[in-house]
């Protein structure tokens, strides 16, 4: 496991790693330690939605600290993030989690997974 930085248990990181290894396209709400793990272990595309630019900036710095490679498209909450995803991870601003999940459910590929943290 990469030495990720943030508030994510080892057990949760292990689950995210397994899912990331099998996912081609990932959509995430809420950036941080999960972003590091998902990006490091996925070979597909990744789009991360965030409500606070500070978290995006911090996550980019942490990518460098722990050696995460690969591109992440960081977008704001009000952006268009339509697409087709194998995995959608919901872990952003608590008051928006349900709204986000209901908004993006239709973008989940058949057989895909949505998880909440």
């Amino acid at each position: 496991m990469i030495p990720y930085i943030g508030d994510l248990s080892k057990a949760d990181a292990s689950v995210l790693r397994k899912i990331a290894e099998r996912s081609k396209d990932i959509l995430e709400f809420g950036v941080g330690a999960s972003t590091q793990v998902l990006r490091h272990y996925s070979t597909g595309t990744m789009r991360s939605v965030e409500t606070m630019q500070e978290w995006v900036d911090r996550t980019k710095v942490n990518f460098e600290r722990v050696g995460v490679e690969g591109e992440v498209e960081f977008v704001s909450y009000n952006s268009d993030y339509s697409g087709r995803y194998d995995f959608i991870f919901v872990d952003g601003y608590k008051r928006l989690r349900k709204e986000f999940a209901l908004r993006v459910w239709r973008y989940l590929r058949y057989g895909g997974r949505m998880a909440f943290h």
Side-chain angles (χ1 to χ4, degrees), residues 11-97:
D12 288 347
S14 178
V15 169
L16 289 178
R17 175 185 180 170
K18 290 175 186 175
I19 293 171
E21 290 173 338
R22 296 188 307 256
S23 298
K24 180 180 175 188
D25 299 296
I26 297 172
L27 176 64
E28 169 191 44
F29 174 46
V31 304
S34 60
T35 314
Q36 297 163 52
V37 173
L38 291 169
R39 176 66 280 165
H40 187 78
Y41 292 104
S42 173
T43 58
T45 65
M46 185 166 171
R47 182 178 288 167
S48 293
V49 179
E50 181 53 58
T51 57
M52 296 178 59
Q53 184 61 42
E54 174 186 336
W55 276 99
V56 172
D57 297 340
R58 184 183 309 171
T59 299
K60 288 178 179 179
V61 168
N62 288 340
F63 270 29
E64 293 177 24
R65 288 180 177 163
V66 300
V68 174
E69 295 182 8
E71 296 294 320
V72 174
E73 180 185 359
F74 292 100
V75 297
S76 69
Y77 188 78
N78 294 318
S79 297
D80 174 22
Y81 31 83
S82 59
R84 302 302 289 166
Y85 303 97
D86 301 308
F87 181 54
I88 298 174
F89 186 58
V90 183
D91 185 31
Y93 183 59
K94 288 181 182 179
R95 292 184 189 165
L96 294 176
R97 289 179 186 176

Side-chain angles (χ1 to χ4, degrees), residues 84-86 105-113:
R84 302 302 289 166
Y85 303 97
D86 301 308
W105 178 257
R106 62 187 167 160
Y107 302 136
L108 195 60
R109 283 194 176 108
Y110 179 77
R113 299 170 185 213

